[in-house]
Protein backbone atom coordinates (compact mmCIF):
# COMPACT_ATOMS: atom_id res chain seq x y z
CA UNK A 1 0.00 0.00 0.00
CA UNK A 2 1.44 3.36 -1.01
CA UNK A 3 2.25 6.07 1.50
CA UNK A 4 -0.47 8.72 1.95
CA UNK A 5 -0.35 12.31 3.23
CA UNK A 6 -2.85 15.02 4.14
CA UNK A 7 -3.57 17.22 1.10
CA UNK A 8 -4.45 20.19 3.30
CA UNK A 9 -7.75 20.58 1.42
CA UNK A 10 -10.77 19.29 3.33
CA UNK A 11 -12.72 17.99 0.34
CA UNK A 12 -9.69 16.19 -1.10
CA UNK A 13 -8.46 14.60 2.11
CA UNK A 14 -5.51 12.23 2.02
CA UNK A 15 -3.57 11.69 -1.23
CA UNK A 16 -0.49 9.64 -2.20
CA UNK A 17 2.72 11.17 -0.91
CA UNK A 18 4.04 11.56 -4.47
CA UNK A 19 1.02 13.55 -5.64
CA UNK A 20 0.68 17.35 -5.70
CA UNK A 21 -2.06 19.88 -4.99
CA UNK A 22 -2.56 23.09 -6.98
CA UNK A 23 -5.23 25.56 -8.04
CA UNK A 24 -7.21 25.13 -11.25
CA UNK A 25 -5.83 28.40 -12.65
CA UNK A 26 -2.31 26.98 -12.99
CA UNK A 27 -3.46 24.58 -15.70
CA UNK A 28 -5.62 26.66 -18.02
CA UNK A 29 -6.96 30.02 -19.06
CA UNK A 30 -10.64 30.62 -18.29
CA UNK A 31 -13.20 33.22 -19.32
CA UNK A 32 -16.94 33.66 -19.79
CA UNK A 33 -18.46 32.60 -23.08
CA UNK A 34 -19.86 35.02 -25.65
CA UNK A 35 -23.37 36.44 -25.97
CA UNK A 36 -25.27 34.28 -28.42
CA UNK A 37 -29.00 34.70 -29.05
CA UNK A 38 -31.42 32.31 -30.73
CA UNK A 39 -31.55 34.80 -33.62
CA UNK A 40 -27.81 34.22 -34.16
CA UNK A 41 -28.26 30.50 -34.81
CA UNK A 42 -27.87 28.93 -38.23
CA UNK A 43 -28.65 25.44 -39.55
CA UNK A 44 -25.01 24.31 -39.72
CA UNK A 45 -21.80 25.85 -38.47
CA UNK A 46 -19.83 26.08 -35.23
CA UNK A 47 -21.41 24.04 -32.39
CA UNK A 48 -22.53 26.13 -29.38
CA UNK A 49 -22.41 24.80 -25.80
CA UNK A 50 -24.69 26.39 -23.20
CA UNK A 51 -25.71 26.00 -19.55
CA UNK A 52 -27.35 22.57 -19.56
CA UNK A 53 -26.81 19.49 -17.40
CA UNK A 54 -26.09 17.32 -20.43
CA UNK A 55 -24.23 17.65 -23.74
CA UNK A 56 -27.20 19.05 -25.68
CA UNK A 57 -26.04 21.85 -27.97
CA UNK A 58 -27.67 25.28 -28.00
CA UNK A 59 -27.33 25.22 -31.77
CA UNK A 60 -24.83 26.44 -34.36
CA UNK A 61 -23.40 29.83 -35.37
CA UNK A 62 -21.64 30.97 -38.52
CA UNK A 63 -18.81 32.70 -36.66
CA UNK A 64 -17.53 32.98 -33.10
CA UNK A 65 -15.26 35.27 -31.09
CA UNK A 66 -14.65 32.60 -28.44
CA UNK A 67 -13.16 29.64 -30.26
CA UNK A 68 -12.71 26.31 -28.49
CA UNK A 69 -11.07 23.12 -29.71
CA UNK A 70 -11.41 19.45 -28.86
CA UNK A 71 -10.37 18.80 -25.26
CA UNK A 72 -11.29 22.25 -23.96
CA UNK A 73 -13.78 22.43 -21.11
CA UNK A 74 -17.10 24.26 -20.68
CA UNK A 75 -18.70 24.85 -17.27
CA UNK A 76 -22.33 26.00 -16.94
CA UNK A 77 -22.13 29.03 -14.64
CA UNK A 78 -25.78 30.06 -14.31
CA UNK A 79 -28.97 28.40 -13.10
CA UNK A 80 -29.61 24.82 -12.05
CA UNK A 81 -26.98 23.29 -14.33
CA UNK A 82 -24.03 24.91 -12.55
CA UNK A 83 -20.96 22.70 -12.52
CA UNK A 84 -22.06 20.10 -15.08
CA UNK A 85 -18.75 20.41 -16.95
CA UNK A 86 -18.64 19.45 -20.63
CA UNK A 87 -15.62 18.01 -22.45
CA UNK A 88 -15.53 19.57 -25.93
CA UNK A 89 -15.62 16.75 -28.50
CA UNK A 90 -15.68 18.96 -31.60
CA UNK A 91 -12.61 20.20 -33.49
CA UNK A 92 -14.07 23.71 -33.26
CA UNK A 93 -16.79 25.02 -30.94
CA UNK A 94 -17.91 27.99 -28.87
CA UNK A 95 -20.08 28.62 -25.81
CA UNK A 96 -22.67 31.07 -24.53
CA UNK A 97 -22.46 33.85 -21.95
CA UNK A 98 -24.01 31.56 -19.33
CA UNK A 99 -20.90 29.36 -19.28
CA UNK A 100 -17.22 29.52 -18.38
CA UNK A 101 -14.77 28.00 -20.84
CA UNK A 102 -11.27 26.73 -20.05
CA UNK A 103 -8.73 26.53 -22.86
CA UNK A 104 -4.94 26.43 -23.44
CA UNK A 105 -4.91 23.56 -20.96
CA UNK A 106 -1.35 22.61 -20.09
CA UNK A 107 0.63 20.61 -17.53
CA UNK A 108 -2.30 18.26 -16.98
CA UNK A 109 -4.38 15.75 -18.94
CA UNK A 110 -7.52 17.49 -20.19
CA UNK A 111 -9.69 14.49 -19.35
CA UNK A 112 -8.14 14.21 -15.89
CA UNK A 113 -9.08 17.85 -15.21
CA UNK A 114 -12.60 17.05 -16.39
CA UNK A 115 -12.85 14.14 -13.95
CA UNK A 116 -11.59 16.34 -11.10
CA UNK A 117 -14.46 18.74 -11.80
CA UNK A 118 -16.89 15.81 -11.60
CA UNK A 119 -15.39 14.54 -8.35
CA UNK A 120 -15.30 17.92 -6.58
CA UNK A 121 -18.47 19.41 -8.10
CA UNK A 122 -20.24 20.03 -4.78
CA UNK A 123 -17.26 21.95 -3.38
CA UNK A 124 -16.01 23.67 -6.53
CA UNK A 125 -19.32 25.16 -7.56
CA UNK A 126 -20.78 26.64 -4.41
CA UNK A 127 -22.59 29.66 -5.77
CA UNK A 128 -23.38 33.02 -4.20
CA UNK A 129 -26.71 33.90 -2.61
CA UNK A 130 -28.11 35.89 -5.53
CA UNK A 131 -31.59 35.24 -6.90
CA UNK A 132 -30.13 33.44 -9.93
CA UNK A 133 -27.49 30.83 -8.93
CA UNK A 134 -24.14 31.66 -10.50
CA UNK A 135 -20.42 31.03 -10.18
CA UNK A 136 -17.60 33.29 -11.33
CA UNK A 137 -14.45 32.72 -13.34
CA UNK A 138 -12.38 33.76 -10.35
CA UNK A 139 -14.08 31.22 -8.11
CA UNK A 140 -13.42 28.42 -10.62
CA UNK A 141 -9.77 29.41 -11.02
CA UNK A 142 -9.14 29.27 -7.27
CA UNK A 143 -10.42 25.72 -6.78
CA UNK A 144 -7.92 23.11 -5.61
CA UNK A 145 -7.30 19.71 -7.17
CA UNK A 146 -4.96 16.82 -6.52
CA UNK A 147 -2.91 15.29 -9.33
CA UNK A 148 -0.17 12.70 -9.99
CA UNK A 149 2.57 12.80 -12.68
CA UNK A 150 1.29 13.10 -16.27
CA UNK A 151 1.78 9.44 -17.20
CA UNK A 152 -0.35 8.41 -14.21
CA UNK A 153 -3.00 10.99 -15.11
CA UNK A 154 -3.27 9.38 -18.55
CA UNK A 155 -3.66 5.92 -16.99
CA UNK A 156 -6.35 7.25 -14.63
CA UNK A 157 -8.22 9.01 -17.43
CA UNK A 158 -8.26 5.89 -19.60
CA UNK A 159 -9.39 3.75 -16.66
CA UNK A 160 -12.21 6.16 -15.81
CA UNK A 161 -13.23 6.45 -19.47
CA UNK A 162 -13.71 2.68 -19.53
CA UNK A 163 -15.47 2.34 -16.17
CA UNK A 164 -17.70 5.38 -16.66
CA UNK A 165 -18.68 4.18 -20.12
CA UNK A 166 -19.86 0.90 -18.60
CA UNK A 167 -21.85 2.72 -15.91
CA UNK A 168 -23.30 5.20 -18.42
CA UNK A 169 -24.42 2.30 -20.60
CA UNK A 170 -26.41 0.78 -17.73
CA UNK A 171 -27.92 4.16 -16.88
CA UNK A 172 -28.77 4.84 -20.53
CA UNK A 173 -30.61 1.51 -20.86
CA UNK A 174 -32.60 2.22 -17.71
CA UNK A 175 -33.51 5.69 -19.00
CA UNK A 176 -34.64 4.21 -22.32
CA UNK A 177 -36.90 1.80 -20.44
CA UNK A 178 -38.27 4.65 -18.33
CA UNK A 179 -39.09 6.66 -21.45
CA UNK A 180 -40.84 3.63 -22.98
CA UNK A 181 -42.89 3.20 -19.81
CA UNK A 182 -43.80 6.90 -19.78
CA UNK A 183 -44.83 6.72 -23.43
CA UNK A 184 -46.91 3.62 -22.71
CA UNK A 185 -48.58 5.47 -19.83
CA UNK A 186 -49.37 8.45 -22.07
CA UNK A 187 -50.82 6.24 -24.80
CA UNK A 188 -52.83 4.20 -22.26
CA UNK A 189 -54.37 7.36 -20.81
CA UNK A 190 -55.06 8.80 -24.27
CA UNK A 191 -56.72 5.62 -25.51
CA UNK A 192 -58.79 5.01 -22.38
CA UNK A 193 -60.21 8.52 -21.88
CA UNK A 194 -61.29 8.76 -25.52
CA UNK A 195 -62.26 5.15 -26.39
CA UNK A 196 -63.25 3.70 -23.02
CA UNK A 197 -62.60 0.20 -21.67
CA UNK A 198 -64.80 -1.83 -24.02
CA UNK A 199 -63.43 -2.41 -27.54
CA UNK A 200 -66.71 -3.65 -29.05
CA UNK A 201 -68.83 -0.65 -28.07
CA UNK A 202 -70.57 1.31 -30.84
CA UNK A 203 -68.53 4.37 -31.89
CA UNK A 204 -69.37 7.74 -33.45
CA UNK A 205 -67.40 10.56 -35.04
CA UNK A 206 -66.75 13.21 -32.39
CA UNK A 207 -66.48 15.96 -35.00
CA UNK A 208 -63.11 16.91 -33.50
CA UNK A 209 -59.92 15.84 -35.29
CA UNK A 210 -58.00 15.50 -32.02
CA UNK A 211 -60.58 13.21 -30.44
CA UNK A 212 -61.50 11.14 -33.50
CA UNK A 213 -64.11 8.44 -32.91
CA UNK A 214 -65.57 8.10 -29.41
CA UNK A 215 -68.16 5.74 -27.88
CA UNK A 216 -71.62 6.59 -29.22
CA UNK A 217 -73.15 7.04 -25.78
CA UNK A 218 -70.48 9.57 -24.69
CA UNK A 219 -71.23 13.29 -24.77
CA UNK A 220 -68.96 15.57 -26.81
CA UNK A 221 -68.84 19.04 -25.27
CA UNK A 222 -66.67 21.98 -24.33
CA UNK A 223 -64.46 21.48 -21.27
CA UNK A 224 -66.04 24.51 -19.59
CA UNK A 225 -69.37 22.63 -19.40
CA UNK A 226 -67.92 19.95 -17.13
CA UNK A 227 -65.62 22.00 -14.85
CA UNK A 228 -65.67 25.26 -12.92
CA UNK A 229 -62.52 27.34 -12.34
CA UNK A 230 -62.64 28.50 -8.73
CA UNK A 231 -60.63 31.71 -8.60
CA UNK A 232 -60.26 32.54 -4.92
CA UNK A 233 -57.39 34.98 -4.39
CA UNK A 234 -56.43 35.61 -0.76
CA UNK A 235 -53.71 37.41 1.16
CA UNK A 236 -50.99 34.83 2.02
CA UNK A 237 -50.29 36.62 5.31
CA UNK A 238 -53.60 35.23 6.59
CA UNK A 239 -52.58 31.61 5.78
CA UNK A 240 -48.94 31.41 6.88
CA UNK A 241 -49.16 27.77 8.06
CA UNK A 242 -50.95 26.46 4.93
CA UNK A 243 -49.07 24.42 2.31
CA UNK A 244 -48.19 26.49 -0.76
CA UNK A 245 -48.00 24.99 -4.25
CA UNK A 246 -46.46 26.57 -7.34
CA UNK A 247 -46.06 25.18 -10.88
CA UNK A 248 -42.54 24.08 -9.86
CA UNK A 249 -44.11 21.91 -7.14
CA UNK A 250 -45.69 19.55 -9.69
CA UNK A 251 -43.93 17.00 -11.88
CA UNK A 252 -44.73 17.38 -15.56
CA UNK A 253 -47.14 14.85 -16.95
CA UNK A 254 -47.23 12.58 -13.88
CA UNK A 255 -49.98 14.11 -11.70
CA UNK A 256 -47.61 14.00 -8.74
CA UNK A 257 -46.42 16.66 -6.30
CA UNK A 258 -42.65 16.95 -6.28
CA UNK A 259 -42.14 19.24 -3.30
CA UNK A 260 -43.78 22.12 -1.49
CA UNK A 261 -43.36 24.36 1.54
CA UNK A 262 -45.65 26.26 3.87
CA UNK A 263 -46.71 29.76 2.86
CA UNK A 264 -44.34 31.16 5.49
CA UNK A 265 -41.40 29.01 4.33
CA UNK A 266 -41.92 29.83 0.65
CA UNK A 267 -41.88 33.57 1.35
CA UNK A 268 -44.74 34.38 -1.05
CA UNK A 269 -46.06 37.91 -0.78
CA UNK A 270 -48.42 38.13 -3.78
CA UNK A 271 -52.00 36.95 -3.42
CA UNK A 272 -52.58 33.25 -4.02
CA UNK A 273 -55.63 31.11 -4.72
CA UNK A 274 -57.10 29.29 -1.72
CA UNK A 275 -57.82 25.70 -2.78
CA UNK A 276 -59.42 22.72 -1.04
CA UNK A 277 -58.69 19.02 -0.83
CA UNK A 278 -60.11 17.14 -3.83
CA UNK A 279 -60.00 20.10 -6.22
CA UNK A 280 -57.98 19.83 -9.43
CA UNK A 281 -54.95 22.14 -9.57
CA UNK A 282 -53.72 22.99 -13.09
CA UNK A 283 -50.79 25.19 -14.13
CA UNK A 284 -51.92 27.76 -16.70
CA UNK A 285 -48.34 28.88 -17.49
CA UNK A 286 -46.33 26.60 -19.77
CA UNK A 287 -49.44 24.39 -20.00
CA UNK A 288 -47.75 21.94 -22.38
CA UNK A 289 -45.83 20.62 -19.38
CA UNK A 290 -49.15 19.05 -18.31
CA UNK A 291 -48.81 19.97 -14.64
CA UNK A 292 -52.03 18.86 -12.97
CA UNK A 293 -52.87 17.16 -9.67
CA UNK A 294 -55.78 16.33 -7.38
CA UNK A 295 -55.17 18.45 -4.27
CA UNK A 296 -54.34 16.11 -1.34
CA UNK A 297 -54.96 18.87 1.21
CA UNK A 298 -56.26 22.42 1.65
CA UNK A 299 -53.71 25.09 0.79
CA UNK A 300 -52.69 28.04 -1.37
CA UNK A 301 -51.52 27.88 -4.96
CA UNK A 302 -49.83 30.41 -7.20
CA UNK A 303 -52.02 32.76 -9.21
CA UNK A 304 -50.39 31.05 -12.22
CA UNK A 305 -52.56 28.01 -11.47
CA UNK A 306 -56.26 27.24 -11.68
CA UNK A 307 -58.15 25.53 -8.83
CA UNK A 308 -60.87 23.53 -10.60
CA UNK A 309 -64.05 21.89 -9.31
CA UNK A 310 -66.26 19.42 -11.13
CA UNK A 311 -69.50 17.49 -10.61
CA UNK A 312 -67.87 14.70 -12.61
CA UNK A 313 -65.28 12.22 -11.35
CA UNK A 314 -62.28 14.41 -10.53
CA UNK A 315 -59.78 11.62 -11.27
CA UNK A 316 -61.30 11.05 -14.70
CA UNK A 317 -61.11 14.80 -15.44
CA UNK A 318 -57.47 14.84 -14.33
CA UNK A 319 -56.59 11.93 -16.63
CA UNK A 320 -58.51 13.63 -19.42
CA UNK A 321 -56.31 16.71 -18.93
CA UNK A 322 -53.22 14.50 -19.26
CA UNK A 323 -54.43 12.97 -22.55
CA UNK A 324 -52.85 13.62 -25.95
CA UNK A 325 -56.09 15.04 -27.37
CA UNK A 326 -56.31 17.63 -24.57
CA UNK A 327 -52.58 18.44 -24.85
CA UNK A 328 -52.84 18.92 -28.63
CA UNK A 329 -55.70 21.39 -28.30
CA UNK A 330 -53.81 23.33 -25.63
CA UNK A 331 -50.82 23.43 -27.98
CA UNK A 332 -53.01 24.83 -30.75
CA UNK A 333 -54.30 27.79 -28.72
CA UNK A 334 -50.89 28.65 -27.22
CA UNK A 335 -48.63 28.01 -30.24
CA UNK A 336 -47.84 31.70 -30.85
CA UNK A 337 -46.90 32.43 -27.22
CA UNK A 338 -43.22 31.50 -27.29
CA UNK A 339 -41.80 33.64 -24.48
CA UNK A 340 -44.27 32.69 -21.74
CA UNK A 341 -47.01 30.33 -22.95
CA UNK A 342 -50.21 30.73 -20.94
CA UNK A 343 -53.77 29.51 -21.37
CA UNK A 344 -56.62 31.72 -20.20
CA UNK A 345 -59.95 30.53 -18.78
CA UNK A 346 -61.91 31.07 -21.99
CA UNK A 347 -59.40 29.07 -24.00
CA UNK A 348 -59.33 26.30 -21.41
CA UNK A 349 -63.12 26.17 -21.35
CA UNK A 350 -63.29 25.93 -25.16
CA UNK A 351 -61.30 22.68 -25.42
CA UNK A 352 -63.46 19.86 -26.78
CA UNK A 353 -63.69 16.68 -24.69
CA UNK A 354 -65.68 13.45 -24.69
CA UNK A 355 -67.46 12.61 -21.44
CA UNK A 356 -68.88 9.21 -20.47
CA UNK A 357 -71.60 8.72 -17.84
CA UNK A 358 -70.39 9.21 -14.26
CA UNK A 359 -70.30 5.47 -13.42
CA UNK A 360 -68.14 4.80 -16.46
CA UNK A 361 -65.90 7.74 -15.53
CA UNK A 362 -65.28 6.11 -12.17
CA UNK A 363 -64.62 2.75 -13.76
CA UNK A 364 -62.11 4.31 -16.16
CA UNK A 365 -60.35 6.38 -13.48
CA UNK A 366 -60.11 3.33 -11.21
CA UNK A 367 -58.58 1.28 -14.04
CA UNK A 368 -56.11 4.03 -14.92
CA UNK A 369 -55.16 4.58 -11.30
CA UNK A 370 -54.25 0.90 -10.93
CA UNK A 371 -52.34 0.73 -14.21
CA UNK A 372 -50.53 4.04 -13.64
CA UNK A 373 -49.55 2.90 -10.15
CA UNK A 374 -47.96 -0.22 -11.65
CA UNK A 375 -46.14 1.81 -14.30
CA UNK A 376 -45.01 4.48 -11.83
CA UNK A 377 -43.74 1.79 -9.43
CA UNK A 378 -41.67 0.24 -12.24
CA UNK A 379 -40.30 3.68 -13.13
CA UNK A 380 -39.48 4.40 -9.47
CA UNK A 381 -37.50 1.16 -9.18
CA UNK A 382 -35.52 2.01 -12.30
CA UNK A 383 -34.80 5.50 -10.96
CA UNK A 384 -33.40 3.89 -7.79
CA UNK A 385 -31.11 1.75 -9.97
CA UNK A 386 -29.97 4.87 -11.87
CA UNK A 387 -29.28 6.75 -8.64
CA UNK A 388 -27.20 3.85 -7.29
CA UNK A 389 -25.09 3.72 -10.44
CA UNK A 390 -24.67 7.49 -10.51
CA UNK A 391 -23.52 7.42 -6.88
CA UNK A 392 -21.13 4.57 -7.75
CA UNK A 393 -19.72 6.64 -10.61
CA UNK A 394 -19.28 9.71 -8.41
CA UNK A 395 -17.60 7.70 -5.66
CA UNK A 396 -15.32 5.87 -8.11
CA UNK A 397 -14.13 9.09 -9.76
CA UNK A 398 -13.49 10.73 -6.39
CA UNK A 399 -11.52 7.73 -5.06
CA UNK A 400 -9.36 7.60 -8.19
CA UNK A 401 -8.57 11.32 -8.66
CA UNK A 402 -7.57 11.61 -4.99
CA UNK A 403 -5.39 8.51 -5.19
CA UNK A 404 -7.35 6.59 -2.57
CA UNK A 405 -7.96 3.88 -5.17
CA UNK A 406 -4.92 2.84 -7.17
CA UNK A 407 -5.32 1.92 -10.85
Amino acid sequence: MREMRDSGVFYIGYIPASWSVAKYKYFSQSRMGETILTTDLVENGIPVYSATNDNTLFGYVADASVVLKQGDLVVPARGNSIGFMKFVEHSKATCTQTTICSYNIHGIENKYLYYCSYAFKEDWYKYDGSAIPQVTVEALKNNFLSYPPLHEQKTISEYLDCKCSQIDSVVSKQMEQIERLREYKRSLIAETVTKGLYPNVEMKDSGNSFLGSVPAHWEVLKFGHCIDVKSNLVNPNDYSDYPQISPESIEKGTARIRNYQSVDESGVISWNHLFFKGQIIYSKIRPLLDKVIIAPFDGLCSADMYPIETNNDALFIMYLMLSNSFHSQVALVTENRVKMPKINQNELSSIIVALPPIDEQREISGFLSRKCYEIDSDIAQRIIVIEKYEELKKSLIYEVVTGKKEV
Side-chain angles (χ1 to χ4, degrees):
M1 185 174 179
R2 53 187 174 179
E3 182 185 354
M4 305 290 284
R5 68 176 180 87
D6 188 352
S7 68
V9 180
F10 76 93
Y11 57 80
I12 296 176
Y14 280 81
I15 59 173
S18 61
W19 285 33
S20 303
V21 174
K23 289 185 176 182
Y24 186 96
K25 64 183 178 182
Y26 295 120
F27 302 107
S28 70
Q29 293 178 267
S30 298
R31 57 159 291 173
M32 297 300 296
E34 60 178 305
T35 300
I36 298 175
L37 307 176
T38 54
T39 51
D40 298 322
L41 300 179
V42 296
E43 188 171 343
N44 292 296
I46 302 169
V48 181
Y49 288 91
S50 62
T52 63
N53 56 11
D54 56 25
N55 288 322
T56 303
L57 294 173
F58 182 62
Y60 300 87
V61 290
D63 195 17
S65 59
V66 176
V67 179
L68 306 175
K69 65 180 189 300
Q70 186 175 24
D72 288 341
L73 304 172
V74 176
V75 182
R78 301 285 187 275
N80 296 327
S81 59
I82 284 177
F84 284 90
M85 181 179 276
K86 308 161 195 297
F87 187 89
V88 176
E89 300 286 359
H90 303 85
S91 58
K92 186 177 183 180
T94 189
C95 58
T96 68
Q97 70 278 11
T98 58
T99 65
I100 300 170
C101 56
S102 294
Y103 53 97
N104 290 341
I105 297 170
H106 54 277
I108 197 167
E109 280 283 327
N110 300 45
K111 208 56 175 295
Y112 181 84
L113 190 56
Y114 165 83
Y115 281 124
C116 284
S117 175
Y118 195 103
F120 306 134
K121 178 178 177 292
E122 292 179 2
D123 294 286
W124 275 18
Y125 303 110
K126 290 181 177 177
Y127 49 82
D128 61 34
S130 60
I132 301 176
Q134 57 185 325
V135 293
T136 64
V137 173
E138 200 60 29
L140 174 63
K141 289 163 64 175
N142 284 307
N143 284 318
F144 285 98
L145 61 131
S146 51
Y147 63 99
L150 274 170
H151 71 277
E152 195 172 346
Q153 293 176 33
K154 184 174 178 61
T155 300
I156 287 172
S157 297
E158 291 173 349
Y159 170 82
L160 287 175
D161 280 348
C162 178
K163 291 296 183 182
C164 290
S165 176
Q166 293 171 358
I167 293 171
D168 291 345
S169 177
V170 174
V171 169
S172 178
K173 288 176 181 176
Q174 291 294 327
M175 292 179 71
E176 287 173 6
Q177 288 300 316
I178 287 173
E179 187 50 43
R180 288 194 186 100
L181 286 165
R182 286 174 174 161
E183 182 55 40
Y184 169 60
K185 179 180 174 180
R186 285 192 288 267
S187 64
L188 179 67
I189 291 171
E191 181 74 11
T192 309
V193 300
T194 56
K195 310 300 180 188
L197 295 172
Y198 304 103
N200 297 323
V201 72
E202 182 185 352
M203 304 294 284
K204 68 179 180 182
D205 183 1
S206 68
N208 180 277
S209 60
F210 298 107
L211 287 175
S213 295
V214 300
H217 64 286
W218 288 23
E219 184 180 4
V220 178
L221 71 170
K222 289 184 177 181
F223 190 55
H225 293 159
C226 54
I227 61 101
D228 186 16
V229 175
K230 289 292 185 180
S231 299
N232 189 11
L233 289 172
V234 297
N235 188 333
N237 294 332
D238 298 330
Y239 299 86
S240 59
D241 294 332
Y242 274 51
Q244 196 272 343
I245 293 176
S246 67
E248 289 71 32
S249 305
I250 301 175
E251 291 182 355
K252 61 179 182 179
T254 67
R256 295 167 60 182
I257 293 182
R258 182 168 53 189
N259 53 61
Y260 62 90
Q261 297 176 309
S262 70
V263 171
D264 193 43
E265 289 169 334
S266 63
V268 293
I269 56 175
S270 58
W271 284 40
N272 274 218
H273 291 295
L274 175 64
F275 67 82
F276 301 99
K277 181 178 179 179
Q279 288 184 327
I280 300 166
I281 310 298
Y282 177 69
S283 176
K284 66 181 180 182
I285 62 167
R286 294 186 289 274
L288 295 183
L289 294 180
D290 299 325
K291 294 192 172 188
V292 58
I293 59 164
I294 302 290
F297 43 66
D298 297 349
L300 300 191
C301 68
S302 162
D304 289 324
M305 311 179 85
Y306 291 133
I308 295 171
E309 280 190 358
T310 180
N311 291 324
N312 295 280
D313 182 71
L315 265 177
F316 177 84
I317 298 298
M318 183 194 73
Y319 284 124
L320 188 152
M321 296 175 78
L322 289 170
S323 68
N324 291 339
S325 59
F326 195 93
H327 178 100
S328 297
Q329 292 181 76
V330 171
L332 187 64
V333 299
T334 60
E335 63 181 350
N336 295 321
R337 298 165 198 169
V338 178
K339 189 172 182 180
M340 180 57 73
K342 183 181 291 189
I343 186 166
N344 63 43
Q345 287 191 39
N346 288 335
E347 291 164 338
L348 183 66
S349 296
S350 296
I351 289 174
I352 304 299
V353 299
L355 201 66
I358 188 69
D359 288 343
E360 193 172 352
Q361 291 178 35
R362 290 171 181 147
E363 187 179 8
I364 288 171
S365 65
F367 168 80
L368 286 175
S369 292
R370 291 189 297 274
K371 297 297 290 185
C372 290
Y373 176 80
E374 293 171 5
I375 296 168
D376 290 341
S377 295
D378 194 349
I379 290 172
Q381 288 302 311
R382 294 179 186 278
I383 289 173
I384 289 172
V385 171
I386 289 172
E387 289 173 345
K388 286 181 177 177
Y389 273 93
E390 288 180 338
E391 187 58 37
L392 172 64
K393 179 179 176 180
K394 179 181 174 182
S395 175
L396 175 66
I397 293 173
Y398 174 82
E399 292 290 312
V400 172
V401 300
T402 58
K404 296 174 180 62
K405 177 178 174 63
E406 190 170 2
V407 300

